Amino acid sequence: MAQANGRRTSRRGIYLKLRQMVLTLELPPGAALSENELAASLGVSRTPVRESLILLAQEGLVQIFPKIGSFVSRVDPAQVADAQFLREAVELASLDDLPAQPDPALVGELRDNLERQRRPDLGLEEFFELDEAFHQGLMRLSGHGNVWTTVAAAKGHLDRARRLGLHENVSPAVFATQHHEIFAAVVGGDITLARTRMRDHLRAVFSDIERIRAHSPELFATGPSTVPVRRNVVIWE
């Protein structure tokens, strides 16, 4: 039984590792995926890799084409919009439930988070993690922290679009400033302003997509007929 549990844990770990590689753009949109190469790099057999790719395909993060191969899904603006709609609805509703006297310990955690966002040597992935923790922290402040797991599971395409946006910007400082403005409105008790600042902040991803798509259209899905054709090299049509 212990050995079976270990295999399940290992397979879960492979899935999480591959998912993280997709979300962080280590495996970029449109990249061809070789089960053999992935298995070798992760030090496992092909079976857990194949099973993980199937799970990622169910999430829309990987596409598997019979007789052609497996590929990282290109970022789908429609799925980004759906995830954004869900996230915005949840986070704005959460702001409405903020108590008159927020938990001082949680407020302190958010202040510390914001200070770390200002570090000049902060890497993009470090900033992304702080960004996620900040938004989850605001939901914890309103008593809805557990909902974040549901939100996070639904925003794979959105997270990739956000990371592309971070890479486009010279510095994440603009996003850190927006976080400060949201936080100031929250602790100041101005929920209307906090909602406005949050809505503008979350919707910035749409302008990022349009800007990036203008010079890198190959990163984005163009519709349901987007299928690669294997000739001497893989070509997306």
Side-chain angles (χ1 to χ4, degrees):
M1 181 63 71
Q3 186 176 3
N5 288 338
R7 284 197 299 269
R8 283 196 293 271
T9 300
S10 174
R11 289 176 179 180
R12 175 71 176 172
I14 297 303
Y15 156 73
L16 291 175
K17 174 61 177 176
L18 290 175
R19 188 176 194 273
Q20 185 68 4
M21 291 170 71
V22 170
L23 294 185
T24 60
L25 310 178
E26 183 177 347
L27 292 172
L33 300 171
S34 164
E35 290 182 9
N36 288 331
E37 291 178 4
L38 290 172
S41 67
L42 297 172
V44 298
S45 69
R46 289 176 56 188
T47 299
V49 171
R50 184 182 306 113
E51 292 172 346
S52 297
L53 293 181
I54 291 172
L55 291 175
L56 292 171
Q58 291 172 355
E59 292 184 52
L61 296 175
V62 163
Q63 290 176 289
I64 300 174
F65 300 101
K67 299 182 181 181
I68 298 176
S70 299
F71 302 83
V72 178
S73 297
R74 294 194 282 183
V75 177
D76 186 341
Q79 292 196 47
V80 171
D82 287 344
Q84 168 60 24
F85 174 81
L86 172 64
R87 182 177 185 182
E88 182 176 312
V90 169
E91 293 204 46
L92 294 186
S94 180
L95 289 175
D96 289 338
D97 285 347
L98 285 168
Q101 297 296 326
D103 184 330
L106 291 178
V107 170
E109 287 183 24
L110 287 167
R111 290 189 191 278
D112 178 65
N113 178 297
L114 290 172
E115 286 303 312
R116 284 184 286 158
Q117 289 183 31
R118 293 292 197 185
R119 277 176 38 207
D121 61 338
L122 196 64
L124 292 183
E125 272 308 309
E126 291 178 287
F127 179 82
F128 192 91
E129 290 177 7
L130 289 172
D131 178 294
E132 294 280 283
F134 173 75
H135 285 273
Q136 183 179 20
L138 287 178
M139 294 186 67
R140 289 170 59 205
L141 205 61
S142 66
H144 299 297
N146 291 336
V147 180
W148 183 257
T149 302
T150 302
V151 174
K155 61 188 184 73
H157 281 266
L158 174 59
D159 283 348
R160 290 195 296 161
R162 291 170 58 215
R163 281 185 169 93
L164 287 171
L166 282 174
H167 284 283
E168 281 281 298
N169 287 278
V170 176
S171 165
V174 61
F175 303 111
T177 296
Q178 292 169 1
H179 289 157
H180 276 271
E181 292 173 347
I182 294 167
F183 180 73
V186 166
V187 296
D190 192 340
I191 303 306
T192 299
L193 179 60
R195 285 174 57 89
T196 299
R197 293 281 187 260
M198 179 68 81
R199 184 182 295 108
D200 292 344
H201 171 64
L202 294 179
R203 292 184 181 182
V205 70
F206 294 126
S207 57
D208 287 341
I209 286 176
E210 292 309 309
R211 186 175 66 256
I212 298 166
R213 188 157 52 176
H215 63 72
S216 299
E218 72 281 359
L219 298 175
F220 297 89
T222 56
S225 60
T226 302
V227 178
V229 176
R230 187 174 292 282
R231 298 173 186 162
N232 291 329
V233 295
V234 172
I235 300 173
W236 285 84
E237 294 187 340

